[in-house]
Amino acid sequence: MITIGLPPRFVLFPGRHHLLTRFQADYLGRLARSGDTTIVWAVTSANHDNTRRNPVPYHRREAAIERFSALTGLRSLVVPVFDTAPTDAFAEVTLKTIAVATGLDLTPADTVVACSTPAVAKLYERIGFPIAQVEADPELDAVPERPWDVLLRLASGDPAWRTLAHPATIDVFERYRLVEQVRSVVNDPLVGDEGGLTATRDYRTYVDAFTEAAERKWTAVRRHVQPGRIVDIGCGAGSVLELADREAALHESDLIGVEVARHLYQECVHKKAQGVFRNANVYFYQRNVLGGAIFADRSVDTTLTFALTHEIWSYGRQRESLLQFARRIHDHTVPGGVWINSDVCGPADRRRQVVLRLATEDGTNPPAPRHDLAELSEGEVRRYVGGLSTRARLDQFAVDFAFPFAYEVVDESAVRLELGSAMDYLTRKDYVDNWLSETREQFCGLGFDEWLELLAEAGFEVDPASAPLRNDWVIDNRIAPVATLTDTDGRPLDWPDTHLLGIARRPLTEEP
C-alpha cells in the first residue's frame, strides 16, 4: 500500500472493470480512508463489448460500479474512455477525457493512481502521479487474483468466482443474465479478442464491397422474401437491410441484422443513429450464430444469409458446423417461412482431376513460395503477393491455404489437381488486400447437390427456384484472361458453377 500522509482527494482507477472483486473493495477502502475521497473509475474500451477481450458492455460495467459504490460507501465517478490506438500518451488522453466528462483536472498533488498493470502505471508515474499497485502491491501478505482471472473462472464454469467477485458484480451479472453471455463470448472459438473472425481483415474493404453488391443481391432475392420478421445474419454494414427498408410492402416488417464483427456491427448502429432507416423496427445485434440460439423457435419469417455459410464451414467444423447452423435456422423459422442463402459454391464434380494452365509473365516467379507471410505487415504481404505471377501465386496459395491440397507440376505453367482446389484458388487469387484472411476460407467445400442433401437433413424443403450459378463477370475478367482449364487428356473444359442461390422453406405441416 502506498504511504501518504492524508487520504487523497481522488483515486484514479483506470481499467476495463468487467468484474469487480472483494479484494478491490477492501483495498480501495483502505486507500481512501475517508468519505471525502472520490474514486474516479476510468472504464477503458468503453465502446467495445461482446468480444473476448471485452465481453461486458460499458453500461453494465457502470451499473456494477455504481452498485459497488452503494454497498461499500465509497464515493465514485464513472467515466467512459473509448479505445484508441496504442500510444505512450495514454495517461494524458485518459486525464483529458476525465476533464471533458466531469470538469475535474486531476493532478499529482491531489490524486493517487490505482493500477496493477506495470506498463500502464509507468505512464502515470512518468508524469508525476503516485501509484497504488492494487493486486501487485508488494506489501500484501498474499497475492490476490486479478479481476480478469476471476472472470476466466466464471467462463470456465468454476463456481469459486462467486467467492472472489464482489456482490455488486454478482448482482448485476445475475439480474442482466450476463453469466452465460460472458461464458459464450470468452469461450467462442470463432471470435477474436476484438470481435472479428480474423485479425488481418481490412474491414473498410468489406464495407465498400458489401455496399457495391447490395443492390444485386437484393434484386436476386426480393421476390422470395416473406413479410414479417426478417433477419439478415451476417448483415455486414447493413446494406441489404437498407434496401429492404425502402420496400413499401415491408414497411410493417421487423428488420433485424445480426453481425459478429465489431467493426461492421458498429457501422450498422451508426447508420441507424444517423437516420438511414425509415422503419422504426430496425434492430442490430452483435452475435455469433454458432454460439447458441438467438431467436425463439418459430419466430422468424425470412432469414437472409449472403456470403456467410462458407465462413461457417471454414472457421467451424465444416459440414458438422454448417448442419448445426442450418438446423438452428430451421428451428427459428415459422412453418412456411423461408431461408434465402446466397454464397459461393463448389463445382458439381469437384474431385475430378483437371489440368490448370496459368500465366507466368504477369508477375515475378520466385524459385519457392514464402512461409513467413504471417510475420510481415499487411502492406508487405499485399505488395509481395500482388507482385507474383498467377502461376507463382498458386504456389503461395498452397502454402497459406488452411485446407491443404495436392497438385502435380506438369510444366512451368501447368499443374494437375482437383477441380475444386483449382476453383478455390482461382476465385481467391485476387484478394491480395486480405490475403491471410481469405486463405483461411474455403469456397468449394460443398457442391450444389451436397447442399441440397444438407438442407433436407436439416428439415427444409428446397424451392425449385434454388440453383447453382456461375459468376461470368469473374470468369471473363479475373480468371479466363490468365488461366485455361482442360481435362487430363488436354480437352478444354467449360468453367464450372461458382455460386448458389438456395431457397429453403420450413414445411407448413411437419411430422411429429
Side-chain angles (χ1 to χ4, degrees), residues 474-484 495:
V474 171
I475 298 296
D476 295 340
N477 293 276
R478 299 295 187 191
I479 296 178
V482 294
T484 60
W495 294 107

Side-chain angles (χ1 to χ4, degrees), residues 58-117:
Y58 166 74
H59 62 289
R60 302 302 187 214
R61 290 181 258 171
E62 181 184 34
I65 292 170
E66 295 290 3
R67 182 69 177 147
F68 178 95
S69 299
L71 293 177
T72 60
L74 291 168
R75 187 170 184 267
S76 292
L77 282 174
V78 187
V79 179
V81 179
F82 282 14
D83 204 43
T84 61
T87 173
D88 289 339
F90 172 77
E92 290 89 338
V93 169
T94 301
L95 292 167
K96 289 177 182 177
T97 301
I98 292 168
V100 170
T102 67
L104 292 177
D105 186 14
L106 304 180
T107 70
D110 61 13
T111 303
V112 169
V113 174
C115 181
S116 63
T117 305

Side-chain angles (χ1 to χ4, degrees), residues 127-189:
I127 56 177
F129 282 87
I131 306 297
Q133 295 173 278
V134 202
E135 291 88 3
D137 197 318
E139 297 184 18
L140 296 174
D141 295 332
V143 179
E145 289 201 35
R146 296 171 183 262
W148 186 252
D149 295 327
V150 179
L151 192 87
L152 292 180
R153 283 184 179 270
L154 181 159
S156 70
D158 184 350
W161 78 272
R162 292 178 176 272
T163 65
L164 298 167
H166 192 271
T169 284
I170 297 173
D171 174 43
V172 170
F173 275 30
E174 289 182 341
R175 278 192 287 138
Y176 292 100
R177 300 181 179 180
L178 295 177
V179 172
E180 286 306 316
Q181 177 180 323
V182 169
R183 284 177 179 160
S184 175
V185 172
V186 171
N187 296 322
D188 193 327

